[in-house]
């Protein structure tokens, strides 16, 4: 029995703190980089930045020059006179209706991306969650389609779309871009769905959730980085597509910017100031897209290494 003190109470036994009560002490080490090494890193980063930005800077400076100044025998990187009106006059050039080309590019890229998501989400979820005969063969055939380029099949697609009556329409290019980007989206999202434990689905089903609710309300928030990755790559690939659009779209207004750009390159002369201006305009939407979802895109690219 515990000894009784003069106050009539038994002393409390000293208890050792449990592992849960102990405070975790994290040791942080400060990265003390010498000044010389820091300057070398900054210089190396600046060199890499200049190397990557130099082509875009040359395009930008060329877009505000006159045709005569670009073709001058004494060229200069910086324009002698800044002709900002090039960005206004290029929309009314007789070569091609650029505004319609921009709308066509946006419609084709957005609709192709949405179509890919509508097909790839249930397909990748089903192949990751269920085992069925021929599953590995199906996944192999899906990835094989990624090895075939649209330019190889343009003649067959041309005849097929004539039979369907959709040649020289946005629908034709939406189907082409969606078909050739579907395999990448299925595989990237398949890996994300496969990384989610099946117990998550089973717990949701025990609570009364159906298959569609499990996919939309439980799994989609968990694979959001993979969805963003698939969206970005599908949109960029559709935005930059050239070969199939050149063959399947013959009307100038239906063609995307990638094809419209070639209209300024003639047999005897080239309107380089308009070529550079259209190129800058075509780059801006993609840059804005990357800036808007940069964090989620990086998370989607590196998530496979930490699963």
């Amino acid at each position: 029995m515990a000894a009784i003190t003069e106050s009539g109470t038994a002393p409390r036994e000293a208890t050792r703190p449990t592992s849960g009560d102990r405070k975790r002490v994290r040791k942080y080490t400060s990265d003390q980089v010498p000044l010389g090494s820091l300057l070398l890193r900054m210089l190396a980063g600046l060199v890499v930045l200049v190397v990557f930005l130099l082509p875009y800077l040359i395009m930008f400076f060329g877009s505000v020059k006159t045709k005569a100044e670009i073709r001058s025998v004494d060229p200069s990187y910086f324009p002698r006179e800044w002709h900002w009106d090039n960005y206004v006059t290029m929309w009314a050039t007789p070569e091609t209706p650029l505004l319609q080309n921009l709308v066509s590019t946006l419609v084709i890229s957005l609709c192709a991306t949405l179509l890919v998501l509508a097909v790839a989400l249930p397909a990748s979820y089903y192949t990751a969650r269920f085992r069925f005969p021929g599953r590995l063969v199906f996944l192999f055939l899906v990835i094989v389609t990624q090895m075939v380029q649209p330019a190889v099949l343009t003649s067959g697609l041309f005849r097929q779309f004539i039979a369907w009556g959709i040649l020289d329409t946005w629908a034709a290019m939406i189907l082409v871009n969606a078909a050739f980007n579907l395999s990448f989206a299925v595989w990237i999202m398949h890996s994300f769905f496969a990384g989610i434990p099946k117990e998550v689905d089973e717990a949701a089903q025990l609570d009364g959730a159906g298959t569609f609710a499990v996919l939309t309300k439980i799994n989609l928030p968990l694979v959001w980085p993979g969805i963003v990755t698939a969206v970005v790559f599908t949109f960029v690939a559709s935005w930059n597509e050239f070969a199939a659009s050149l063959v399947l779209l013959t009307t100038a207004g239906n063609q995307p910017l990638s094809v419209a750009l070639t209209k300024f390159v003639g047999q005897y002369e080239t309107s380089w100031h308009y070529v550079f201006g259209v190129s800058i305009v075509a780059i801006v939407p993609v840059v804005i897209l990357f800036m808007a979802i940069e964090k989620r895109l990086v998370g989607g690219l590196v998530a496979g290494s930490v699963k």
Side-chain angles (χ1 to χ4, degrees):
M1 296 178 65
I4 305 299
T5 61
E6 294 180 357
S7 61
T9 59
R12 295 181 179 178
E13 295 182 359
T15 58
R16 296 181 180 179
T18 61
S19 59
D21 297 334
R22 296 175 184 173
K23 296 182 179 180
R24 296 181 180 178
V25 180
R26 296 183 179 180
K27 297 180 180 180
Y28 295 92
T29 57
S30 58
D31 186 13
Q32 297 180 355
V33 182
L35 180 60
S37 178
L38 180 62
L39 292 177
L40 286 177
R41 293 182 184 181
M42 293 177 63
L43 180 61
L46 182 62
V47 170
V48 173
L49 179 65
V50 170
V51 168
F52 279 96
L53 288 182
L54 188 59
Y56 301 100
L57 292 176
I58 293 177
M59 282 197 304
F60 172 72
F61 291 141
S63 65
V64 292
K65 293 180 179 180
T66 61
K67 183 188 299 186
E69 185 177 355
I70 294 176
R71 300 178 60 185
S72 174
V73 294
D74 185 20
S76 61
Y77 283 105
F78 299 98
R80 299 183 180 91
E81 295 182 2
W82 296 73
H83 292 268
W84 298 102
D85 57 320
N86 290 343
Y87 284 95
V88 179
T89 57
M90 71 180 186
W91 299 101
T93 55
E95 285 83 0
T96 183
L98 280 180
L99 185 58
Q100 297 181 31
N101 299 138
L102 179 59
V103 173
S104 177
T105 309
L106 287 171
V107 171
I108 292 174
S109 301
L110 290 175
C111 292
T113 304
L114 293 176
L115 182 58
V116 166
L117 282 182
V119 177
L121 278 174
S124 56
Y125 175 75
Y126 190 85
T127 54
R129 279 290 181 264
F130 302 97
R131 299 295 185 267
F132 55 90
R135 173 175 170 272
L136 294 179
V137 176
F138 171 76
L139 292 174
F140 175 75
L141 292 177
V142 168
I143 199 63
V144 164
T145 59
Q146 187 70 23
M147 305 177 187
V148 182
Q149 296 299 320
V152 180
L153 305 176
T154 49
S155 59
L157 292 173
F158 189 89
R159 297 183 61 183
Q160 185 66 51
F161 291 149
I162 288 179
W164 289 354
I166 60 172
L167 185 67
D168 193 22
T169 62
W170 289 345
M173 287 312 305
I174 291 172
L175 291 175
V176 169
N177 285 304
F180 285 96
N181 291 290
L182 182 62
S183 59
F184 175 83
V186 169
W187 267 96
I188 192 68
M189 287 191 285
H190 169 85
S191 63
F192 277 86
F193 280 119
I196 301 175
K198 292 184 178 179
E199 291 75 11
V200 175
D201 292 9
E202 295 173 355
Q205 290 172 353
L206 289 176
D207 291 337
T211 304
F212 183 76
V214 171
L215 171 61
T216 56
K217 297 182 180 180
I218 305 299
N219 284 269
L220 288 190
L222 298 177
V223 299
W224 186 246
I227 296 175
V228 172
T229 305
V231 166
V232 169
F233 278 90
T234 303
F235 182 84
V236 173
S238 302
W239 185 273
N240 295 328
E241 204 285 320
F242 172 76
S245 300
L246 181 64
V247 176
L248 301 178
L249 299 179
T250 56
T251 304
N254 292 338
Q255 295 172 340
L257 286 175
S258 57
V259 178
L261 192 65
T262 61
K263 303 296 182 63
F264 297 102
V265 181
Q267 183 176 2
Y268 300 105
E269 65 175 1
T270 301
S271 301
W272 288 111
H273 55 309
Y274 290 149
V275 171
F276 293 145
V278 175
S279 300
I280 294 295
V281 171
I283 291 171
V284 170
V286 179
V287 173
I288 294 175
L289 176 64
F290 272 93
M291 291 175 62
I293 58 177
E294 175 187 3
K295 294 182 180 180
R296 292 189 178 274
L297 175 62
V298 174
L301 293 175
V302 303
S305 62
V306 297
K307 287 188 176 182

